[in-house]
Amino acid sequence: MASFIESTDLFDMAEQYPFSDVHFWRDPETQLQAIIAIHSTKLGPAIGGCRMIDYPSTHAAIKDACCLAAGMSYKTAINRLPFGGGKAVILKPKHLIDRKALFSSFGRFVESLNGRYITAMDSGTTIADMDVIASQTNHVMCTTTAGLASGDPSPHTAKGVYYGIKAAVKFKLERESLAGLHIAIQGVGNVGYALAKLLHNDGAKLTVADPNPIATQRLINEFGADVVVGDDIYAINCDVFSPCALGQVINAHSIAQFNTSIIAGSANNQLKSPDMTDALAARNILYAPDYVINSGGVLQISYLNKPDVVQHKLAALYDTLLAIFTQAEQQNSSTVNIANGLAEKILAGVNDE
Ligand code: NAD
């Protein structure tokens, strides 16, 4: 995660997002156009979700896969898990004809990599899709019964984000409790909804934004949340802004509007570019690095059938993030630099423990 140079050349991109290998799969019969990027298999097979979303170009899809794969390597490393980092993206067909056939073909793609990559659920894919993939390969998680049958990771991701928010509130606001705090959540899908429930139970006041009216209505009904439309969520005067929808939402446009002292949420790749950490520092906003705070799902998958260990590891994210915030302050550095340094040491085999 070095300095930022935009290029469409694959090997120039490799300087920016230093992947190990990128694989392409095209199956016109099923409409499948998919990319699997593997960042590292140093600590174990590369794990990472498969997302199926609209991409403006193949370049955008490759970049997304490579960025997300790197994030997975850092996420598994910082949690000292025996996995590397990878990610799959499917370019969403305009009119999908046979979803099952498409995911069967994707399963054959995963199988062709012989276990170097293990796939999972992500934006735009479901547990049912994972079950279809499992008909073609064992290298799949988040299924109901086959492969690594971990089900939906979202509640665990939400729990990790909840502990991360508590750590940020402790560090920045010197408060143990979330009662009475105002938290703005962008995106109340699988993770955002589960997070909202935890925050509401702790007495936090919620303001949310989501283009899906069913999702926002549920938040109004169940948690008495206020709802705002679109980008208005950035300017909400709140204690914590929690991005739980999209990547790259921390950018010059949003930073100018933020009215919060903490950003802590589940979305992957929240920073539009690495230098956004400087802009956040200038506004005195504490940022919880995304791949650390959103690692609850991967922790659950890594400790399948050990629910007590999972709960312990989720709670430990509080200490991990508190240590990152403290070190960043002591070293006059960004929280992202500190987290990256810790992860890179582990990836390089340096063991400080
Ligand atoms: P999801 O698809 O269930 O929910 C995302 C929600 O965001 C949807 O309700 C969608 O309508 C909403 N949304 C889309 N555009 C929006 C916008 N402009 N403003 C506000 N809301 C918008 O996804 P999820 O599983 O809840 O994941 C949320 C984020 O967390 C994603 O970025 C995902 O990559 C990341 N993440 C998820 C997990 C997990 O376990 N599910 C793990 C790690 C990271």
Side-chain angles (χ1 to χ4, degrees), residues 75-331:
K75 188 184 303 197
T76 54
I78 209 154
N79 285 291
R80 297 179 181 272
L81 300 174
F83 292 110
K87 206 83 182 185
V89 303
I90 296 176
L91 288 85
K92 191 174 175 186
K94 288 257 172 304
H95 305 288
L96 180 53
I97 297 162
D98 185 342
R99 191 172 179 109
K100 209 167 165 185
L102 182 134
F103 279 98
S104 282
S105 184
F106 179 74
R108 293 193 287 283
F109 182 19
V110 173
E111 179 64 13
S112 75
L113 298 178
N114 292 317
R116 263 173 70 69
Y117 167 68
I118 301 171
T119 199
M121 203 174 121
D122 203 286
S123 300
T125 59
T126 64
I127 294 179
D129 298 330
M130 298 304 120
D131 285 345
V132 175
I133 294 167
S135 67
Q136 305 296 325
T137 181
N138 282 328
H139 307 301
V140 55
M141 301 179 290
C142 309
T143 63
T144 47
T145 54
L148 296 163
S150 51
D152 180 4
S154 307
H156 298 90
T157 303
K159 190 88 176 268
V161 174
Y162 164 77
Y163 283 119
I165 288 175
K166 283 182 75 81
V169 163
K170 168 77 180 162
F171 184 81
K172 188 79 179 172
L173 308 178
E174 298 179 353
R175 286 184 55 152
E176 305 286 344
S177 162
L178 302 181
L181 293 188
H182 184 184
I183 302 184
I185 309 178
Q186 181 186 43
V188 281
N190 291 323
V191 177
Y193 169 78
L195 174 65
K197 190 172 194 172
L198 293 165
L199 299 173
H200 173 74
N201 288 344
D202 272 13
K205 168 180 161 42
L206 304 175
T207 298
V208 304
D210 196 304
N212 178 352
I214 299 170
T216 49
Q217 192 58 49
R218 183 156 74 146
L219 267 284
I220 295 170
N221 296 347
E222 297 184 23
F223 312 134
D226 286 337
V227 175
V228 295
V229 175
D231 286 3
D232 288 358
I233 194 77
Y234 297 130
I236 294 297
N237 184 355
C238 58
D239 298 292
V240 181
F241 172 72
S242 186
C244 295
L246 311 164
Q248 311 211 347
V249 293
I250 302 177
N251 50 49
H253 165 74
S254 61
I255 290 176
Q257 296 179 65
F258 283 134
N259 208 346
T260 183
S261 52
I262 294 168
I263 298 179
S266 76
N268 281 310
N269 292 342
Q270 291 171 25
L271 301 174
K272 170 95 174 157
S273 57
D275 58 348
M276 290 299 127
T277 56
D278 296 336
L280 288 173
R283 298 271 339 263
N284 194 20
I285 297 172
L286 177 68
Y287 172 63
D290 45 19
Y291 65 82
V292 184
I293 192 169
N294 74 11
S295 50
V298 96
L299 287 168
Q300 180 232 357
I301 282 159
S302 304
Y303 297 99
L304 272 184
N305 307 321
K306 292 183 183 163
D308 292 350
V309 177
V310 173
Q311 290 310 318
H312 174 75
K313 296 278 178 187
L314 290 175
L317 286 175
Y318 179 98
D319 298 318
T320 304
L321 280 159
L322 207 52
I324 289 169
F325 299 149
T326 307
Q327 279 186 44
E329 187 175 70
Q330 286 168 349
Q331 296 176 28

Side-chain angles (χ1 to χ4, degrees), residues 34-56:
I35 299 159
I36 293 176
I38 296 179
H39 175 264
S40 168
T41 52
K42 190 160 181 184
L43 302 178
I47 53 170
C50 167
R51 56 169 55 176
M52 181 167 77
I53 58 174
D54 291 317
Y55 285 101

